[in-house]
Amino acid sequence: MSGFAILVLFLSGFFEFPSVSYSIPSAKEGSQLHAQSTVDPFSDLFGAFRKWDVQMGCSQFREKHKGSVKNGSSSSFQEVDGELGCSELKMSHVSVLVKGWTWIPDNLDNLYSCRCGLSCLWTKSSVLVDKPDALLFETITPPVQRRNGEPLRVYMDLEAGRKRSGREDLFISYHAKDDVQSTYAGALFHNNRNYHLSSYKNNDTLVYWSSSRCLRQRNKLAITLLKLLPHHSFGKCLNNVGGLDMALTFYPDCVKDPNSAPSWWDHLHCAMSHYKFVLAIENTVTESYVTEKLFYALDSGAVPIYFGAPNVLDFVPPHSIIDGTKFASMEELASYVKALANDPIAYADYHAWRRCGLMGNYVKARAASLDTLPCRLCEAVSRKEIRFPPFSSSILNSIWILQNPSFFASRAPQIIYQWKDPL
């Protein structure tokens, strides 16, 4: 993942990539093309919107997609914005100290006012929290040894494998089945991106792709599709634009600060915005693993062509992406993309969710993202309340374990083998 510390675990049978051919039935995506449209290789996005407003409009879009708007809960998400039993909270204030180097943005540090009157201090500074209630580990695992009276341990792994450290009290991942969920849909993943977006869309080159981690199966899939479509590839993998860091040569208006050396992320969204489509292929195909690759494309005002999580439609607004796995072949997918590129009304339809405010389960994906993690983690800590047993006597420790069987049951190995009295 771009910008993150990456550890990919190649486990047999778990890390599967999309096949370059499909036996599943063909998607009925073609029915979304405007029935009476003629070939119109448009470049002006605003012009496409005006045509869509005249012939479609938000009322018709909402009616058309009302079946895809799920008002109930989705199994892809934890219930994070519903009623909270305030009686479950055992602490009125929780402090979380983030340990070691981490990609978690510094501007997440803050004192938060959460539900039920709970206050939450989230910080990377041990000066600001001298007695933390929880220690958060992300790029490093919690240490093996543990002393009595230590804060609760939280371990966070947003990589596909969701690998627990075995030494944490609470585990954070992208999946709803873990203790605390944190999706990639939040705005904090996109900090410091240049949002100078273009309303002009390339007609001759339809697809943007950039990848500098050249995984064999992902490259194979990309080659199979991109050979059928005019495209620009800006990364190390399958580069066809004359070298790295060529985006600013193509689009000089994307420069964020002319007085400083650019970083790739400074102009990422701006460069993407010049294309009608962005190819987004996950490193790993597994349930709910929907990463920034997809959300960057959505944020740039392009239409993502996505290969990845089988439940991806739970994470995005209605009719906002092209799920590449729903087509019978790459040829069929490429034909659909080309037809869409020449149909301004059908293309504008993929942007209607934003213009009409139709979010569907995207609301839940945002609510369970990193943006809201501090309060949700503090709530989880407050429900537990218990620190590692603050007793020095072995007899008192045994009594504490008998009084807290659920705590012991889930941590028996670490308590038996890692127990240490204070020095």
Side-chain angles (χ1 to χ4, degrees):
M1 292 180 301
S2 300
F4 306 136
I6 300 175
L7 177 61
V8 178
L9 304 175
F10 286 96
L11 301 180
S12 175
F14 179 80
F15 288 88
E16 299 178 357
F17 292 82
S19 172
V20 297
S21 63
Y22 301 96
S23 58
I24 61 174
S26 171
K28 296 182 179 179
E29 292 283 2
S31 63
Q32 303 293 342
L33 296 178
H34 189 245
Q36 299 178 354
S37 65
T38 57
V39 175
D40 182 3
F42 67 98
S43 296
D44 180 13
L45 184 60
F46 292 153
F49 289 166
R50 287 191 293 269
K51 291 181 179 181
W52 184 89
D53 289 341
V54 171
Q55 299 198 36
M56 296 288 288
C58 287
S59 295
Q60 186 173 337
F61 181 81
R62 292 191 185 100
E63 179 65 22
K64 183 179 178 181
H65 295 286
K66 63 181 181 181
S68 64
V69 180
K70 302 175 184 178
N71 295 319
S73 62
S74 167
S75 59
S76 296
F77 304 105
Q78 295 177 349
E79 191 62 43
V80 299
D81 53 1
E83 292 295 323
L84 175 69
C86 296
S87 60
E88 299 174 10
L89 302 184
K90 302 172 184 177
M91 306 164 65
S92 60
H93 175 71
V94 173
S95 57
V96 176
L97 177 61
V98 181
K99 298 288 288 182
W101 180 90
T102 174
W103 56 263
I104 297 173
D106 291 342
N107 60 357
L108 203 62
D109 283 29
N110 210 338
L111 179 61
Y112 296 84
S113 177
C114 307
R115 295 182 292 182
C116 298
L118 177 69
S119 57
C120 172
L121 177 62
W122 173 294
T123 181
K124 294 181 178 180
S125 172
S126 59
V127 175
L128 300 181
V129 55
D130 58 315
K131 295 180 179 180
D133 299 297
L135 302 176
L136 173 61
F137 300 85
E138 189 263 323
T139 56
I140 57 174
T141 57
V144 174
Q145 294 187 345
R146 190 168 194 177
R147 299 182 184 280
N148 295 347
E150 280 192 351
L152 291 180
R153 292 172 165 186
V154 182
Y155 183 57
M156 181 175 183
D157 182 11
L158 298 188
E159 296 295 337
R162 295 163 51 211
K163 185 175 177 60
R164 292 174 178 263
S165 72
R167 300 192 288 271
E168 72 278 342
D169 305 301
L170 289 168
F171 181 60
I172 301 171
S173 88
Y174 60 86
H175 203 284
K177 292 182 179 179
D178 292 314
D179 297 326
V180 182
Q181 184 179 23
S182 182
T183 72
Y184 286 80
L188 282 170
F189 276 106
H190 315 157
N191 283 343
N192 301 319
R193 304 306 198 240
N194 180 359
Y195 279 88
H196 173 64
L197 304 184
S198 173
S199 63
Y200 173 85
K201 295 291 184 180
N202 289 334
N203 256 332
D204 297 330
T205 309
L206 298 181
V207 181
Y208 171 103
W209 191 53
S210 180
S211 176
S212 291
R213 189 158 174 258
C214 304
L215 301 176
R216 183 179 64 84
Q217 291 292 341
R218 183 166 60 183
N219 274 6
K220 184 178 180 181
L221 187 152
I223 290 171
T224 306
L225 177 61
L226 294 178
K227 71 181 181 182
L228 304 173
L229 293 167
H231 67 280
H232 281 158
S233 177
F234 286 95
K236 294 179 182 178
C237 311
L238 312 180
N239 186 285
N240 70 346
V241 294
L244 302 178
D245 302 321
M246 293 297 291
L248 293 181
T249 302
F250 281 57
Y251 310 111
D253 289 345
C254 291
V255 173
K256 181 177 182 180
D257 183 358
N259 298 317
S260 62
S263 299
W264 65 267
W265 54 82
D266 289 337
H267 50 270
L268 178 67
H269 290 85
C270 182
M272 284 182 175
S273 72
H274 290 79
Y275 299 84
K276 293 180 180 178
F277 307 96
V278 170
L279 179 59
I281 307 175
E282 301 290 7
N283 297 350
T284 302
V285 177
T286 191
E287 183 183 78
S288 297
Y289 187 60
V290 183
T291 72
E292 80 286 349
K293 296 176 181 65
L294 175 58
F295 295 112
Y296 284 172
L298 279 178
D299 289 346
S300 73
V303 175
I305 303 170
Y306 181 78
F307 291 88
N311 59 334
V312 62
L313 295 182
D314 285 347
F315 287 79
V316 294
H319 196 57
S320 60
I321 73 167
I322 300 171
D323 185 349
T325 66
K326 302 303 184 185
F327 290 80
S329 67
M330 288 296 192
E331 288 76 14
E332 184 182 275
L333 171 58
S335 295
Y336 177 72
V337 169
K338 290 176 182 178
L340 190 62
N342 288 326
D343 187 338
I345 296 173
Y347 182 82
D349 211 41
Y350 277 90
H351 297 271
W353 66 270
R354 185 188 294 109
R355 302 179 70 230
C356 301
L358 197 64
M359 297 181 69
N361 266 353
Y362 186 49
V363 172
K364 296 181 181 295
R366 292 294 301 268
S369 72
L370 183 67
D371 296 3
T372 63
L373 180 60
C375 274
R376 294 187 292 113
L377 176 58
C378 283
E379 289 171 2
V381 172
S382 180
R383 283 192 289 267
K384 278 186 172 292
E385 181 189 38
I386 306 169
R387 286 174 173 246
F388 205 67
F391 307 99
S392 59
S393 165
S394 297
I395 295 177
L396 289 178
N397 284 335
S398 300
I399 294 173
W400 187 93
I401 290 172
L402 291 174
Q403 292 175 339
N404 296 273
S406 61
F407 184 93
F408 176 75
S410 61
R411 298 161 180 82
Q414 73 179 48
I415 292 176
I416 293 172
Y417 295 110
Q418 299 166 20
W419 195 280
K420 287 194 69 174
D421 287 336
L423 296 176

